[in-house]
Amino acid sequence: MQEADAVSGENEALGRGRPAPPAAEVLQKAHGACLQWHLGPARRHQRHAPPALALRLCPGPHALLRLQRGRPGAVCASRRHAGWRVRFRTGNCNPAAPRHAGSAWLLGNAPLPGNVGRGGSGRMNVQQLVPLALPRGRPLSCELCGGPAQLRCGACRVTYYCDVDHQKADWVSIHEKICQLLIPIRTSFPFFNSEKERKHGMEQLLHRQKHLVDLTHKVAQKFVFEGKHEEAIPAALHSLRFSIDTCGPDSVELVPAYLILAEASTGLGHLTQAEEYLSQAQWIVLKTSDCSNGIQSKLHRNLGLLYAAKGNFEESLYHLATDIYFASCAFGTHDISTSGGYFHMANVFFRQNKMDIADSLYTEVTDIWHAHFSRLIRVQSQTLTSPAEINILSEEEEISEEPLNEAQQAEASQVLNAILDIKEQAPKQQPAKTASVVHALAMLHYLILDLPKASSTE
């Protein structure tokens, strides 16, 4: 049996009828009711500590609770001035208590949260690192800036940050959605008994990483379409990092992440940073002989946006025209993937005060989205009204028309609302064209099941 001594220090005591300090309360919560505190001589024990844990309260102005026997480094609590600081290091005997092998963190003098060491779901959990408890030769860096890490997420415990601001930015952008998904990816592999098990484990890891690439890319793209460029950057950085892990540093699969980072940087006015991201993307595209038309379309679109932000409209129009060419080759001239090039080109002509050309391009964008929404509603109504009478050809049409994803919804809303504002503020009103934009917006709200907005828009 291993016993816990209770020794008074500077008129403080842990005993019957006397309130325990905050550190004792934390230890009791973590290790269960079996951990008792009693006042008495240092060598006179009245209760036993848990089998794997033996604690001793050492006297002095900076009293320490230290492990005497049992598992090394199980719990350590220190009092400094008016507050207690507590850190857990390894597992313990209580199944309900937190298990954190080989890790350590520090809780400051502020009131301790109810989810100490567990990381509550749905809210950000901050845990400050203890430098002396970190493993040697393995420096930890911030998830966003790459600087030395001082904090980590208390929910997943595998993501590190340099300060609370960067953790909050990552949490708002993407980390809340992928927090628990990171645990199996960033923890070490277990020991595999056979080559078959090892291969299966690697396949599962690759599958999880690809899922995170897609998820982070969609979230970042949605933020960009919504105009939330600052929120888009952390999600895009995750997408880039996971793409490098799955495909390598020179793969063409990295280009979409670079392009989102460039577009977000352009939206924030960080043109130098946007140029660096676009240079990386352009270099990869030039090295890839079989690069798809869709990737080249997105590259030229971002180059056009960059030159437009610089005020070089001629160069911007050249790249946007090239964007429309590659998008038309990949998707068709009247596809929603092509409409973005028309829209940005119209914005350039609008800034050049060439209103007739801009108006014709805005009309083209409206017609493309209007036709796309009409097809989706037609397929949806056929499915709801007479599903048993749909023949094979109509089934093929239904399969080909996929519903709008979140990024497409955000793009359609941003583009159509911008066109509507321009139409309504134009000195020469065109009721028919304005009505077409309003009708397209009403169909968009109907498709995303925002029926109050759909009825009010109509």
Side-chain angles (χ1 to χ4, degrees), residues 88-282:
F88 296 84
R89 292 190 61 185
T90 65
N92 51 69
C93 60
N94 190 342
R99 298 174 182 268
H100 308 295
S103 61
W105 65 90
L106 184 71
L107 295 174
N109 293 336
L112 298 172
N115 59 346
V116 170
R118 288 191 175 273
S121 60
R123 58 176 178 169
M124 191 177 77
N125 191 306
V126 183
Q127 292 180 346
Q128 187 173 354
L129 298 175
V130 178
L132 294 178
L134 298 177
R136 292 184 178 180
R138 202 180 74 185
L140 302 174
S141 57
C142 177
E143 193 75 15
L144 297 189
C145 67
Q150 303 293 332
L151 310 169
R152 76 171 177 181
C153 172
C156 65
R157 304 187 184 103
V158 293
T159 311
Y160 301 89
Y161 304 96
C162 62
D163 56 31
V164 177
D165 291 337
H166 279 190
Q167 182 178 4
K168 184 177 180 180
D170 192 33
W171 179 266
V172 171
S173 174
I174 189 64
H175 190 74
E176 183 179 7
K177 300 177 180 65
I178 65 172
C179 182
Q180 298 302 309
L181 300 178
L182 294 174
I183 297 176
I185 291 179
R186 294 184 173 177
T187 51
S188 57
F189 268 151
F191 177 77
F192 294 113
N193 295 323
S194 65
E195 178 64 21
K196 183 179 179 180
E197 290 182 0
R198 189 194 68 81
K199 185 177 179 181
H200 178 67
M202 294 298 295
E203 289 175 353
Q204 283 187 324
L205 175 62
L206 184 62
H207 177 73
R208 292 189 181 104
Q209 288 175 331
K210 288 182 177 180
H211 171 68
L212 285 173
V213 169
D214 295 336
L215 176 60
T216 52
H217 180 267
K218 289 178 181 177
V219 171
Q221 188 71 75
K222 180 175 179 289
F223 279 131
V224 168
F225 286 138
E226 291 176 346
K228 301 176 180 178
H229 300 106
E230 192 168 359
E231 287 87 344
I233 288 180
L237 286 173
H238 278 284
S239 180
L240 177 63
R241 201 171 289 117
F242 293 132
S243 299
I244 293 174
D245 292 339
T246 55
C247 307
D250 298 322
S251 173
V252 73
E253 300 297 329
L254 276 60
V255 173
Y258 278 125
L259 296 181
I260 293 180
L261 287 168
E263 189 170 354
S265 300
T266 303
L268 292 171
H270 304 160
L271 301 185
T272 303
Q273 185 67 55
E275 280 185 305
E276 292 181 7
Y277 288 132
L278 286 175
S279 298
Q280 293 283 348
Q282 196 168 19

Side-chain angles (χ1 to χ4, degrees), residues 360-374:
S360 64
L361 290 171
Y362 286 138
T363 302
E364 180 69 18
V365 174
T366 304
D367 292 342
I368 290 174
W369 282 106
H370 191 283
H372 185 70
F373 294 152
S374 299

Side-chain angles (χ1 to χ4, degrees), residues 55 60 67 80 140 167 184 190 198 269 396 446:
L55 302 174
L67 183 70
R80 295 196 177 188
L140 302 174
Q167 182 178 4
R198 189 194 68 81
E396 291 177 354
Y446 171 79

